[in-house]
Amino acid sequence: MPVITSIDDLKRLYKSRAPKMFYDYCESGSWTEQTFRENTSDFDKIRLRQRVAVDMSNRTTETEMIGEKVAMPVALAPVGMTGMQHADGEILAAKAAEKFGVPFTLSTMSICSIEDVAEHTTKPFWFQLYTMKDEDFVRRLVDRAKAANCSALVITLDLQILGQRHKDLKNGLSAPPKLTPAVIADLATRWRWGMGMMQTKRREFRNIVGHVKGISDPSSLMAWTGENFDLTLDWDKVAKLKEMWGGKVILKGILDAEDAKMALKVGADAIIVSNHGGRQLDGALSSIRVLPEILDAVGDQVEVHLDSGIRSGQDVLKAVAMGAKGTYIGRAFIYGLGAMGEAGVTRALEVIHKELDVSMALCGKRDIKDVDRDVLLVPEDFGGRWQG
Ligand SMILES: Cc1cc2nc3c(=O)[nH]c(=O)nc-3n(C[C@H](O)[C@H](O)[C@H](O)COP(=O)(O)O)c2cc1C
């Protein structure tokens, strides 16, 4: 087993093991990828303030997200097609998250179904909902998540229409992949991936196939999904979805203080400051850059979480120090999964946890709940002077 010391190590191994089509799907942003790049480069601009001669014994990273105890303020973000990065990917990631003590969020666009994940886990996970035009389908999806005992509904608000990722079009992204000569040549070098896929029956979008009328060819489903997102989604509909669910609701994809106030109005239990990992509006600001403004607007009234660009425990520390109550990792856990399956997701969580714990200590803090702006050095112009 290779020695893995960083998320970057997992990424390199993932690149060598997963089919190119799925690596590219993960490792891309929309259009020029400006927002995708700035999600990580903006974290680098913030520095940590070293303190010395402070007792650093008895440290803890334990805290709560929406009232649930977490080993550290990091959840696994919903990632579509996780089961194409590694056979049974969603089940494996959910198991790793459960053992580590952090929340797992299952995407509507997962390969393993809600029921598959529920069957292989013992603690409630979170379910992410994309709203589709077919209201019956949405209702049934919500009912299935309730039946599976999911403890939160994460409603994604920033994807009714797809940001374009050039590589996905060029690669002919589909699940399962269409066996063109280029794909066959690529798969010939990814034997681990192929062996895993041959041994599982979970190779299509199992939350959807068999649950929507008129889909017989699973490979046509990407097109179906693209055409069936509900373009009319508005705050009234969000409020209705909240009512339909009846439990905790997290609104994902908030990047503007005005929208954060609307989220508050509809009674969200938490919001996720997110630009979908730079996959939707290219040219949008990075999540970490807009976080302070959103915290100023609603931070004392609703739990504010953040994702997009987190690749290390230092990044988690920076987001928490700014005021986020929780963070999510998308690509960082996918790198682990694609590299080494469940063990890889566990390794990704261990790497981030150690980085968080040690960096927190070196900033003179022992309890993640005591971490605040005091540990940060933020450039004066970090927020920027943007004119609306
Ligand atoms: C390959 C991939 C697929 C994704 N699929 C979904 C999805 O199905 N639903 C969703 O709400 N967000 C989805 N996202 C966005 C993530 O939930 C999250 O916002 C993003 O990955 C955070 O950025 P990071 O990857 O830099 O951590 C996806 C992200 C990636 C990388």
Side-chain angles (χ1 to χ4, degrees), residues 339-386:
M340 305 194 303
E342 181 180 339
V345 179
T346 302
R347 195 73 197 106
L349 290 168
E350 285 168 353
V351 163
I352 287 180
H353 180 260
K354 184 170 181 195
E355 290 167 342
L356 173 63
D357 177 46
V358 173
S359 306
M360 179 177 80
L362 292 171
C363 287
K365 299 283 180 183
R366 297 196 292 182
D367 186 337
I368 193 75
K369 294 197 268 319
D370 294 336
V371 167
D372 56 17
R373 276 295 277 254
D374 217 32
V375 309
L376 294 183
L377 295 165
V378 184
E380 268 172 21
D381 61 345
F382 184 70
R385 289 216 187 108
W386 308 94

Side-chain angles (χ1 to χ4, degrees), residues 118-279:
E119 202 181 302
H120 290 87
T121 49
T122 59
K123 286 197 197 133
F125 54 96
W126 298 351
F127 180 67
Q128 175 265 324
L129 182 74
Y130 276 135
T131 46
M132 313 300 265
K133 286 178 192 160
D134 182 341
E135 285 178 14
D136 263 2
F137 171 66
V138 171
R139 184 174 291 277
R140 273 182 277 125
L141 211 48
V142 167
D143 285 346
R144 287 166 62 197
K146 272 189 214 171
N149 203 24
C150 291
S151 56
L153 188 70
V154 177
I155 306 176
T156 298
L157 299 177
D158 61 1
L159 194 145
Q160 275 109 271
I161 190 163
L162 278 176
Q164 178 171 309
R165 293 180 303 271
H166 303 313
K167 285 180 204 152
D168 291 352
L169 296 177
K170 291 184 170 123
N171 288 332
L173 177 72
S174 68
K178 285 209 181 85
L179 294 178
T180 61
V183 169
I184 293 169
D186 180 48
L187 291 186
T189 64
R190 318 284 153 149
W191 57 271
R192 274 170 205 274
W193 181 91
M195 298 266 285
M197 281 298 164
M198 276 184 331
Q199 285 162 28
T200 182
K201 54 183 192 240
R202 304 180 187 94
R203 290 191 285 254
E204 53 200 29
F205 294 95
R206 285 163 66 94
N207 280 335
I208 299 176
V209 174
H211 297 277
V212 178
K213 284 182 213 116
I215 294 183
S216 46
D217 171 14
S219 64
S220 72
L221 210 105
M222 296 285 284
W224 177 87
T225 326
E227 287 157 15
N228 279 275
F229 288 119
D230 181 6
L231 287 171
T232 68
L233 178 68
D234 59 13
W235 289 105
D236 282 345
K237 287 196 177 182
V238 174
K240 282 188 191 129
L241 284 170
K242 182 176 168 5
E243 204 180 303
M244 186 194 293
W245 172 248
K248 297 220 163 135
V249 163
I250 303 175
L251 296 182
K252 178 172 187 282
I254 305 289
L255 215 56
D256 190 280
E258 292 309 312
D259 289 337
K261 288 180 197 159
M262 291 305 292
L264 195 65
K265 253 193 203 161
V266 298
D269 294 279
I271 59 172
I272 311 177
V273 176
S274 167
N275 55 37
H276 216 104
R279 298 165 77 80

Side-chain angles (χ1 to χ4, degrees), residues 281-353:
L281 179 61
D282 186 33
L285 291 178
S286 68
S287 296
I288 192 68
R289 206 181 269 260
V290 299
L291 179 66
E293 186 191 327
I294 291 182
L295 285 165
D296 281 349
V298 299
D300 53 345
Q301 298 164 78
V302 66
E303 217 172 285
V304 177
H305 300 168
L306 172 136
D307 78 17
S308 299
I310 292 187
R311 301 286 183 273
S312 68
Q314 290 88 330
D315 293 342
V316 174
L317 185 65
K318 290 171 185 175
V320 170
M322 275 213 173
K325 290 282 181 296
T327 65
Y328 298 71
I329 49 171
R331 293 181 181 86
F333 93 82
I334 293 294
Y335 301 160
L337 178 75
M340 305 194 303
E342 181 180 339
V345 179
T346 302
R347 195 73 197 106
L349 290 168
E350 285 168 353
V351 163
I352 287 180
H353 180 260

